[in-house]
Amino acid sequence: MDVGIGLPSTIPGIRGRLVLDWARAAEEAGFSTLGTLDRIVYGNLEPISTLAAAAAVTGRIGLTTAIMIGPYRGNGALLAKQLATVDRLSEGRLTVGIAVGSRPDDFEATASPYERRGKVFDAQLAEMRAVWAGESRGYAGAIGPAPMRPGGPPLLIGGGSPAAFRRMTEYGAGWILGAGGPDAFTAAAAKARGAWGEAGREGEPRLVAIGYVSLGDEAEQHARSYLGDYYSFAGAYVDRVVGSALITQQAVADTVAGFTAAGCDELILFPANPDLQQIELIAAAAGLS
């Protein structure tokens, strides 16, 4: 199983230079990808722009939106162009984790119809596919740049609804778990594999998960401060998120082993502490060094 690491770009007040330093250090430490999270009404850095910056200072490590919300980002043509641009800048290192979203305030802030987000998302995915296939859109022809791979960067569809798995089989290269441990992954991954086979897709879907980690001094305090703020909208659920944070090296090692045994292809560990020393600590705990 590949092990990636999230950029600290969702932590409010983060210095831009630190994000770039983090990207370089993560690549040197041997992580498989750099992940970003997505919100509008919060003090995070925008994920597509952040990955473009990370692409400029790295040369090998993957870049993954884990997970980007599609429906409040407007039409699929513009989104396809933005993502294809990052794909080009990174020379084909982009993977797009994308989902329908569930926070009404983000939709309100962008004047996007929350109740119609599923239909909007379906239309976006169809338009992105058409753009990346090179369909003509006017006098100059197709919307460029052409992505590095035929069909565009691989899409990992998030969500646990029947509609999410239908979108995965129609448009995706795989599925991504937004929250939960190995047990939750096992149950949902079975549904993803089942839907993939029933749709007649060849091979297996790529299956990815994310987790939250904080190691070293004051590990629990950092996890509680960041995750408690980030998930404060979720009410009582926030305690479950904070409680699931990996705050010891053994917890990281056990979680990596659990996801590996469950057939996960990649686990992306998001930091609750932006200190650069976290990269070395997480890499060691995950067995990368």
Side-chain angles (χ1 to χ4, degrees):
M1 182 182 71
D2 295 328
V3 179
I5 191 168
L7 289 163
S9 52
T10 313
I11 300 176
I14 194 75
R15 293 185 296 108
R17 179 58 56 184
L18 177 58
V19 173
L20 303 183
D21 292 342
W22 185 286
R24 295 188 189 96
E27 181 169 67
E28 292 174 2
F31 287 99
S32 58
T33 199
L34 294 165
T36 55
L37 298 170
D38 189 18
R39 288 181 68 173
I40 295 293
V41 187
Y42 196 70
N44 59 302
L45 302 182
E46 196 281 321
I48 300 176
S49 305
T50 299
L51 289 183
V57 297
T58 57
R60 174 199 60 81
I61 195 168
L63 308 166
T64 303
T65 57
I67 302 168
M68 182 178 70
I69 306 305
Y72 57 58
R73 292 180 175 275
N75 66 79
L78 179 57
L79 182 57
K81 187 177 185 77
Q82 291 170 327
L83 292 169
T85 297
V86 177
D87 191 50
R88 275 277 161 185
L89 291 173
S90 65
E91 299 185 322
R93 290 184 281 143
L94 179 65
T95 297
V96 180
I98 189 167
V100 71
S102 62
R103 287 186 293 267
D105 58 349
D106 287 340
F107 286 81
E108 292 169 6
T110 55
S112 304
Y114 182 77
E115 294 77 12
R116 295 185 58 249
R117 65 193 188 282
K119 292 183 178 181
V120 171
F121 191 34
D122 284 330
Q124 276 185 325
L125 292 170
E127 179 67 352
M128 288 163 63
R129 169 188 277 179
V131 169
W132 290 338
E135 291 187 7
S136 178
R137 286 293 186 273
Y139 175 79
I143 296 172
M148 294 294 292
R149 284 160 285 190
L155 299 179
L156 303 176
I157 305 299
S161 68
F165 293 120
R166 188 254 312 157
R167 293 176 183 120
M168 177 198 70
T169 63
E170 189 171 354
Y171 299 105
W175 176 81
I176 183 168
L177 176 71
D183 291 342
F185 173 85
T186 298
K191 295 180 181 179
R193 294 188 184 101
W196 193 266
E198 290 173 7
R201 295 287 301 269
E202 295 182 358
E204 295 284 335
R206 181 166 178 80
L207 302 174
V208 178
I210 72 171
Y212 295 103
V213 61
S214 176
L215 298 177
D217 295 338
E218 300 183 339
E220 184 174 359
Q221 291 90 322
H222 281 287
R224 184 166 297 279
S225 174
Y226 165 59
L227 294 173
D229 182 58
Y230 189 79
Y231 283 97
S232 60
F233 69 90
Y237 177 72
V238 71
D239 291 331
R240 290 180 55 189
V241 176
V242 173
S244 68
L246 309 176
I247 59 174
T248 68
Q249 289 193 326
Q250 189 60 53
V252 173
D254 290 346
T255 298
V256 169
F259 275 107
T260 300
C264 185
D265 294 304
E266 184 173 47
L267 174 64
I268 305 174
L269 297 172
F270 279 87
N273 180 352
D275 192 304
L276 281 171
Q277 291 184 337
Q278 291 291 304
I279 294 174
E280 181 179 347
L281 292 173
I282 296 169
L288 299 183
S289 60

